[in-house]
Amino acid sequence: MQRILLIFLSLTLLLSSPVFAREEVLVFAASSMTTALNDIVDQYELETGKKVVVSYASSSALARQLAYGAPADIYISANEKWMAYAVEQGVIEPTAVTPWVENQLVIVAGRDGKTLDGLNQQDLVAAIGNSRLAMSDPGHVPAGIYAKESLETLGFWGSVKSKLALSNSVRATLALVERGEAPLGIVYFSDANASLQVKIAAEIPANSHAPIVFPKALTKEANAEAKAFFRFLNSDAATKIVTNNGFVVMPKQSNDH
């Protein structure tokens, strides 16, 4: 009898937990969205008084967390592959997936570092020297996947693959250059735009990799408050913020809820 009572009390506490009564909107977003999305959230909360919480990490880590049952209302990925994975896992509403913004890759250096006159293998290897080229892990992080594809297309991969300092997110890659732990790093233009401690050393040709598309989607757990914020992401105010942060806003889709 005592055991049954304990189980009943445990279930009562569990069902009354804040997890089931969560009022704020919870967003899972690629780390490269940090600066822009924080500004969007601030604007939304100022206008509506509603609370939005954002968890930033690599797109792959967030997609896996969703697949394992982590609660979230909105997922913003840095590439379409991990969004497709989340859909396949049954946690994303397929009809709510829309391409949101595009980005581009750049090579960054510290404020006092050298810029590359054009982009050729000899100058890149010389600039790296005995140090490392910072890059997100191409095994699972979108920025790293795009970067490796570009380096292979340009014919540079064989010369730099043994000189890489890999990180688990594009913001971690940026930090390696900001701290001077790597002379160069490959990040998104929006990340370079967000930092006062780096400068663009070279642009990477857009035709050397697949298009860098950031899709957004509602999860199957999303409530009315989440849908309201999701719509706000397409507002003029949000569009202005992401544009000022170096993203290119894609045409609105008919299923933008």
Side-chain angles (χ1 to χ4, degrees):
M1 182 67 184
Q2 185 177 13
R3 182 178 179 184
I4 294 175
L5 180 60
L6 286 172
I7 293 173
F8 175 78
L9 289 173
S10 297
L11 287 172
T12 301
L13 288 171
L14 182 63
L15 292 172
S16 62
S17 161
V19 171
F20 290 86
R22 181 166 51 82
E23 296 181 359
E24 74 277 2
V25 176
L26 179 56
V27 181
F28 277 10
S31 63
S32 48
M33 290 299 311
T34 301
T35 306
L37 197 53
N38 282 348
D39 288 346
I40 291 173
V41 168
D42 288 345
Q43 183 67 32
Y44 182 77
E45 291 182 341
L46 182 65
E47 291 185 15
T48 67
K50 303 295 185 179
K51 181 69 174 175
V52 177
V53 177
V54 187
S55 177
Y56 296 104
S58 70
S59 300
S60 55
L62 295 172
R64 290 180 179 126
Q65 287 175 33
L66 286 171
Y68 293 150
D73 301 297
I74 295 170
Y75 173 45
I76 302 172
S77 174
N79 78 347
E80 295 173 300
K81 169 189 171 184
W82 285 110
M83 181 63 76
Y85 169 83
V87 170
E88 290 168 2
Q89 297 302 306
V91 294
I92 292 295
E93 183 58 54
T95 60
V97 177
T98 56
W100 184 28
V101 293
E102 292 180 297
N103 217 323
Q104 69 181 92
L105 288 179
V106 295
I107 298 177
V108 292
R111 293 302 304 172
D112 298 324
K114 295 181 179 180
T115 57
L116 300 175
D117 186 14
L119 184 58
N120 62 72
Q121 181 172 290
Q122 183 176 349
D123 288 348
L124 178 61
V125 172
I128 298 170
N130 294 322
S131 188
R132 301 276 173 174
L133 171 66
M135 194 177 97
S136 302
D137 190 335
H140 63 97
V141 182
I145 295 170
Y146 294 125
K148 181 182 178 183
E149 183 183 353
S150 290
L151 293 170
E152 288 178 332
T153 300
L154 296 170
F156 300 171
W157 181 250
S159 299
V160 303
K161 64 181 180 181
S162 63
K163 295 176 173 289
L164 299 176
L166 300 180
S167 66
N168 61 6
S169 76
V170 69
R171 282 301 170 102
T173 299
L174 181 68
L176 290 174
V177 181
E178 290 177 328
R179 295 194 299 261
E181 295 177 28
L184 298 174
I186 300 178
V187 299
Y188 297 126
F189 174 74
S190 58
D191 297 295
N193 184 71
S195 176
L196 297 176
Q197 300 174 57
V198 302
K199 63 182 178 182
I200 295 176
E203 293 185 1
I204 294 179
N207 61 4
S208 66
H209 56 75
I212 301 175
V213 176
F214 284 56
K216 56 183 172 61
L218 292 164
T219 71
K220 291 187 175 180
E221 305 299 321
N223 56 23
E225 293 295 342
K227 292 176 181 178
F229 180 67
F230 192 75
R231 288 192 297 271
F232 186 78
L233 294 176
N234 287 332
S235 68
D236 290 342
T239 295
K240 181 178 180 181
I241 289 170
V242 291
T243 300
N244 288 343
N245 277 273
F247 294 92
V248 175
V249 178
M250 301 187 70
K252 293 180 181 180
Q253 304 292 309
S254 60
N255 60 338
D256 270 341
H257 286 65

